[in-house]
């Protein structure tokens, strides 16, 4: 009697298909958000779940999706790879240092480029949005792009964790250093956003899901790995795409209803400049440090991919009356995914050479 193939083998085809088309799938998520934003808007709103008659708990779908991505990244992380990274932390230290210096180097260039912006505030709004975005920790979605042997997975997971761990200190410092480049109104709003950034986001939003995934991997029997690891990888990809759709749905509808072509052009240009410079900075430094191909890709992703979702939340909290400044954040979120897809498109065999 012929035995059925393991479920991990059955998932290999869909997983490979999605990984090879992550860039196009991300674009499709944006198109879906523009064409059919209603489900995404519903998912983005806070919901409540009953915990017995007298108790109700708030449920955030975006936070659940982000936690799913990070839990899957922790589950897929090889314990020996994490141990080796901690014993030789060169890639971790280099990637974290480059990620933290990225906004300090790029934002002044953006300020000079936006002096002739068609925006009524001279570009301060878009600069403020980019400051909040680049000051965020490394995007959790970066772990998705290194799957399937396309990068150093323990290194990028370590960079996500490390950047989140230090974010309560580094985010206010980065914002404080760059705030003088803005008008006084936006500088005050950024100061309020920096004050709102606390350890809660790093602990509950990033560290706990990753730690739970790593703990489950340590307890996972070896026979179950062939089933659970592909399932975790596929779940992470689908959750990341759904999170992209949800984040884009809330803002794209407003801008398409009241289009401002010049502002859209300035926002898109700002996002392109920031994306090119951040990924270019990471790639040049990785080559200068003579890192291996997988490690160099992880460092490049750490420089180019910031948690734009967290930045968007801070923007809407600190400046709820200025939804137009979310434009460069949305554009940057899409562009960093396309750039990550390009950076990680290489044959795994080539990395070993």
């Amino acid at each position: 009697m012929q035995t059925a193939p393991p479920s991990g083998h059955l998932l290999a085809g869909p997983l490979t298909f999605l990984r090879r088309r992550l860039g196009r799938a991300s674009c499709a998520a944006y198109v879906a958000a523009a064409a059919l934003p209603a489900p995404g808007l519903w998912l983005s709103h806070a919901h409540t779940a009953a915990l017995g008659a007298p108790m109700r708990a708030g449920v955030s779908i975006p936070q659940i999706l982000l936690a799913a991505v990070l839990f899957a990244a922790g589950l897929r992380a090889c314990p020996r790879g994490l141990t080796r990274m901690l014993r030789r932390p060169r890639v971790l230290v280099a990637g974290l240092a480059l990620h933290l210096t990225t906004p300090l180097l790029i934002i002044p260039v953006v300020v000079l480029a936006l002096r002739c912006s068609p925006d009524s505030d001279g570009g301060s709004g878009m600069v403020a949005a980019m400051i909040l975005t680049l000051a965020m920790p490394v995007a959790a979605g970066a772990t998705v792009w290194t799957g399937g042997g396309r990068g150093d997975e323990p290194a990028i997971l370590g960079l996500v964790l490390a950047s989140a761990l230090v974010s309560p200190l580094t985010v206010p410092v980065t914002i404080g250093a760059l705030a003088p480049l803005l008008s006084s109104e936006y500088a005050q709003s950024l100061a309020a956003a920096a004050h709102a950034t606390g350890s809660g986001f790093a602990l509950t939003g990033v560290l706990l899901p990753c730690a739970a995934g790593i703990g489950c991997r340590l307890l996972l029997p070896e026979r179950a790995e062939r089933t659970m690891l592909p399932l975790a990888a596929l779940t992470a990809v689908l959750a990341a795409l759904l999170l992209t759709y949800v984040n884009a749905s809330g803002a794209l509808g407003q801008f398409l209803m009241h289009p401002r072509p010049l502002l859209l052009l300035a926002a898109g240009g700002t996002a392109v400049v920031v994306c090119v410079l951040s990924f270019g900075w990471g790639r040049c430094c990785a080559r200068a440090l003579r890192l291996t191909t997988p490690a160099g890709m992880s460092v490049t992703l750490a420089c180019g991919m910031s948690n734009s979702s967290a930045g968007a939340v801070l923007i809407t909290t600190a400046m709820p009356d200025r939804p137009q400044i979310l434009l460069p954040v949305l554009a940057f979120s899409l562009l960093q995914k396309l750039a990550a897809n390009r950076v990680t498109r290489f044959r795994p065999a080539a990395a070993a050479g």
Side-chain angles (χ1 to χ4, degrees):
M1 181 177 178
Q2 187 177 4
T3 59
S7 59
H9 176 75
L10 297 176
L11 296 174
L15 182 58
T16 302
F17 178 86
L18 282 175
R19 277 175 170 166
R20 289 178 177 175
R21 295 163 178 83
L22 269 177
R24 281 175 279 181
S26 298
C27 291
Y30 270 70
V31 173
L36 192 64
L41 288 172
W42 183 84
L43 290 172
S44 65
H45 294 156
H47 302 277
T48 57
L51 299 177
M55 298 181 62
R56 300 185 71 85
V59 177
S60 172
I61 302 299
Q63 289 183 356
I64 292 175
L65 293 173
L66 181 62
V69 172
L70 289 166
F71 177 84
L75 186 65
R76 298 196 323 268
C78 176
R80 285 180 294 181
L82 290 172
T83 303
R84 185 170 60 251
M85 179 192 64
L86 293 175
R87 289 177 179 174
R88 298 179 180 178
R90 182 190 178 203
V91 175
L92 182 64
V93 172
L96 183 60
L98 293 173
H99 173 78
L100 296 177
T101 56
T102 295
L104 301 176
L105 296 174
I106 292 177
I107 293 300
V109 177
V110 176
V111 172
L112 292 175
L114 285 176
R115 288 191 181 274
C116 299
S117 168
D119 200 353
S120 59
D121 56 26
S124 281
M126 284 185 280
V127 174
M130 287 291 93
I131 290 174
L132 284 176
T133 301
L134 293 182
M136 291 295 104
V138 179
T143 60
V144 174
W145 300 93
T146 56
R150 299 192 300 175
D152 190 335
E153 292 187 80
I156 196 63
L157 179 61
L159 287 167
V160 170
L161 291 170
S163 61
L165 186 63
V166 301
S167 62
L169 173 64
T170 58
V171 171
V173 169
T174 301
I175 291 176
L178 296 173
L181 299 176
L182 305 172
S183 63
S184 58
E185 180 182 1
Y186 281 105
Q188 293 173 1
S189 297
L190 254 66
H195 181 72
T197 306
S199 59
F201 166 76
L203 177 63
T204 61
V206 178
L207 298 179
L208 285 182
C210 277
I214 294 172
C216 289
R217 176 63 183 269
L218 294 174
L219 299 175
L220 191 66
E222 187 174 349
R223 291 181 300 175
E225 289 184 0
R226 287 189 296 175
T227 300
M228 295 304 299
L229 297 186
L231 179 60
L234 183 60
T235 300
V237 173
L238 294 175
L241 291 174
L242 182 56
L243 183 60
T244 298
Y245 165 73
V246 172
N247 288 334
S249 295
L252 283 180
Q254 301 177 24
F255 297 128
L256 292 176
M257 288 176 59
H258 305 285
R260 298 170 60 183
L262 290 179
L263 184 58
L264 288 171
L265 183 62
T270 300
V272 168
V273 170
V274 172
C275 188
V276 169
L277 291 179
S278 57
F279 274 90
W281 167 244
R283 194 160 196 171
C284 290
C285 291
R287 289 180 177 177
L289 293 172
R290 297 182 179 180
L291 300 177
T292 63
T293 300
M297 287 183 177
S298 295
V299 168
T300 302
L301 293 180
C303 290
M305 299 194 75
S306 296
N307 195 327
S308 56
S309 298
V313 170
L314 281 181
I315 290 170
T316 54
T317 301
M319 293 168 275
D321 58 332
R322 300 177 185 271
Q324 71 275 10
I325 66 173
L326 281 173
L327 273 175
V329 179
L330 289 173
F332 177 75
S333 179
L334 176 60
L335 288 171
Q336 71 176 357
K337 293 176 176 65
L338 296 177
N341 185 63
R342 185 174 182 84
V343 167
T344 56
R345 287 180 65 184
F346 81 107
R347 294 181 179 178

